Amino acid sequence: TFNTSMTPLWTQTGFAPEVFVRTATGASSATSMAAVPYQNYIDLGTGGGASFARNDYIVIEDGVASKEEYLRIQWVEGDRLWFSSVAGNAYPRGLLFAHAASSSVKVVTLTAKTLTTDYTVNAATGGITEVTEFGTGNKVVVTYHTDLVMPTAYKGAINAHPEMGGAWGDWVGLTLESGTYTVGLYGEKAVTVTRFTESTSYTDASPPGTKQFLVGTATTIQTNPRISSIQNCYNCHNDIAFHGGHRRGMDTCLLCHGTAGSGDRPQYVAPNAPATPETTVDFRTMLHKIHHGKELAEGANYIVNGFGSSYPNNYTSHSYEHVGFPDLPAGTKDCIACHGSGNEAWHQPAVRKHSLGQAWPTRIWRAACITCHDADYAMAHMMVNTSSTGYESCDICHAEGKEQNVERKHLIR
């Protein structure tokens, strides 16, 4: 009998522990770059990726205490091995440990064992007891679900990708900041209606239940002031339901789309999806682009990959060049319709800087302004005013009190 490192073990259908025995090793390589905890990919040395394939199980730093870990590859992109992200459960979401460059990576064969026939589980203690011998000296790998333990570092964004990394606010691997966090819960029900021999299936989700809570040294609940009230959204949208009816309510949307650095469906999930570099589903970018779609210089080129069915075509591409709100002669300028009357928080982007420092400064101006000002000359203006180390000089002209400040430039005329 041996025990898992965390307890209790969930045993409900779909969440029950799975036990594997390592019976062989195969091709090997080594990492070419260091990796941080929760990173959802590793890079190998030149040509190393040729020895690995989708669905291979691998072990990193075999035999090294507090470093050895097992993962399953979702996609091989050259010499990069992709796992998943917080958006998916079918593959490991990322690394558990930090790994230095030159860390060993091996293909392993994991043989599944059968509950009751080969082993039993004590859910409370995390005990796995062999019923039949697993093989002397063989390593055992257990995949299981347990109760949430608040992490000490950020686990990365939805569909995380280095193109949408620290420069866009993804703090993967950085220490959890003190502050206000939100947890949400919702349910859904599938209904099939049959009339006159024809059946139609629907999915309807509940409105969300959300709870804000404090982490670390924070003492007061803080709300995001950019939108004065979520009710502003319902002034135009009588109801908000997306993703085939699986998600409902603005509070639910924000649980995912409020995360900086979140990407659309990536090629490591849907390999045949078109490449969409630096396309984020973070609402500070996405909502502006959708509501301003027909006014964009490159509206037809703003492509967002969403859900799909059959791998490797499991995606659907969307564009919003036909959308415009409010529909005014001067374009989309009624900012208070969403941000709220009397709200001044949107007049300047909020600083997004980790208290312990980060390798690359977060582009707070570009992430907001590029959403509407997407013409080549506007892009060039933003790039010229961003230093080689990532710092933006936009405050000089566009901060509150400056001649070209945000509020002045967005007045309805």
Side-chain angles (χ1 to χ4, degrees):
T1 298
F2 56 91
N3 293 84
T4 57
S5 59
M6 299 177 70
T7 59
L9 305 187
W10 291 7
T11 57
Q12 294 91 336
T13 301
F15 296 95
E18 295 179 275
V19 177
F20 302 85
V21 174
R22 189 174 116 180
T23 53
T25 58
S28 63
S29 185
T31 57
S32 62
M33 300 178 66
V36 299
Y38 306 126
Q39 182 174 305
N40 64 339
Y41 66 92
I42 55 173
D43 288 319
L44 306 178
T46 303
S51 300
F52 298 84
R54 172 178 164 84
N55 290 326
D56 277 351
Y57 289 100
I58 61 171
V59 58
I60 304 176
E61 298 203 59
D62 189 16
V64 180
S66 300
K67 292 288 186 180
E68 179 179 357
E69 62 176 312
Y70 294 79
L71 302 102
R72 187 164 66 120
I73 300 170
Q74 180 165 205
W75 192 45
V76 179
E77 181 186 20
D79 293 323
R80 177 169 288 174
L81 308 183
W82 284 100
F83 310 120
S84 187
S85 76
V86 293
N89 290 316
Y91 292 82
R93 295 178 170 185
L95 304 169
L96 294 177
F97 308 118
H99 298 283
S102 301
S103 295
S104 66
V105 182
K106 297 179 185 176
V107 173
V108 294
T109 300
L110 298 181
T111 302
K113 293 296 181 178
T114 303
L115 180 64
T116 305
T117 302
D118 297 317
Y119 66 92
T120 59
V121 175
N122 185 318
T125 65
I128 307 292
T129 300
E130 297 179 25
V131 175
T132 59
E133 175 59 47
F134 283 2
T136 302
N138 285 341
K139 292 189 175 183
V140 179
V141 178
V142 182
T143 297
Y144 58 95
H145 292 77
T146 187
D147 295 349
L148 172 68
V149 175
M150 197 68 180
T152 58
Y154 291 101
K155 291 192 171 185
I158 305 294
N159 294 324
H161 198 288
E163 288 179 344
M164 296 300 302
W168 298 97
D170 185 0
W171 285 352
V172 60
L174 296 181
T175 303
L176 213 65
E177 290 274 48
S178 297
T180 302
Y181 291 74
T182 304
V183 63
L185 179 70
Y186 60 89
E188 64 177 52
K189 186 173 183 178
V191 178
T192 299
V193 178
T194 302
R195 292 290 185 273
F196 306 107
T197 73
E198 292 186 357
S199 296
T200 305
S201 295
Y202 302 88
T203 299
D204 196 21
S206 70
T210 59
K211 177 70 175 178
Q212 292 183 308
F213 60 99
L214 299 175
V215 170
T217 59
T219 57
T220 304
I221 294 290
Q222 300 288 332
T223 58
N224 188 338
R226 304 291 144 192
I227 304 294
S228 63
S229 172
I230 284 178
Q231 288 304 124
N232 297 345
C233 303
Y234 294 103
N235 291 335
C236 296
H237 301 279
N238 293 329
D239 196 1
I240 297 175
F242 284 95
H243 299 301
H246 295 282
R247 307 288 187 272
R248 185 178 181 187
M250 194 61 183
D251 282 322
T252 302
C253 299
L254 290 171
L255 293 172
C256 293
H257 292 279
T259 305
S262 298
D264 64 343
R265 176 152 285 206
Q267 290 179 319
Y268 62 79
V269 174
N272 286 350
T276 51
E278 294 191 351
T279 294
T280 179
V281 296
D282 180 358
F283 269 179
R284 63 177 170 166
T285 298
M286 189 178 184
L287 281 192
H288 282 108
K289 280 195 175 291
I290 290 175
H291 287 116
H292 193 69
K294 70 177 186 179
E295 303 293 338
L296 295 174
E298 301 291 338
N301 294 327
Y302 175 60
I303 304 296
V304 179
N305 294 325
F307 294 105
S309 53
S310 301
Y311 184 90
N313 298 310
N314 50 328
Y315 72 95
T316 304
S317 294
H318 305 270
S319 64
Y320 304 93
E321 68 274 17
H322 58 287
V323 180
F325 171 81
D327 195 7
L328 299 173
T332 307
K333 286 192 173 183
D334 191 8
C335 303
I336 66 172
C338 295
H339 289 282
S341 179
N343 182 16
E344 299 181 355
W346 59 274
H347 292 176
Q348 188 165 332
V351 174
R352 296 182 177 222
K353 185 178 181 181
H354 195 278
S355 63
L356 300 180
Q358 53 196 89
W360 197 260
T362 303
R363 298 169 180 169
I364 58 173
W365 284 91
R366 184 178 176 186
C369 301
I370 198 176
T371 63
C372 298
H373 304 286
D374 66 332
D376 290 343
Y377 63 85
M379 297 285 290
H381 175 78
M382 283 181 264
M383 293 176 70
V384 165
N385 287 281
T386 302
S387 73
S388 60
T389 53
Y391 290 96
E392 300 171 312
S393 61
C394 311
D395 284 45
I396 295 173
C397 297
H398 300 297
E400 290 190 86
K402 302 297 183 178
E403 183 179 359
Q404 303 296 325
N405 68 76
V406 172
E407 181 185 22
R408 178 177 179 272
K409 296 301 290 184
H410 289 81
L411 286 176
I412 299 177
R413 294 178 174 87

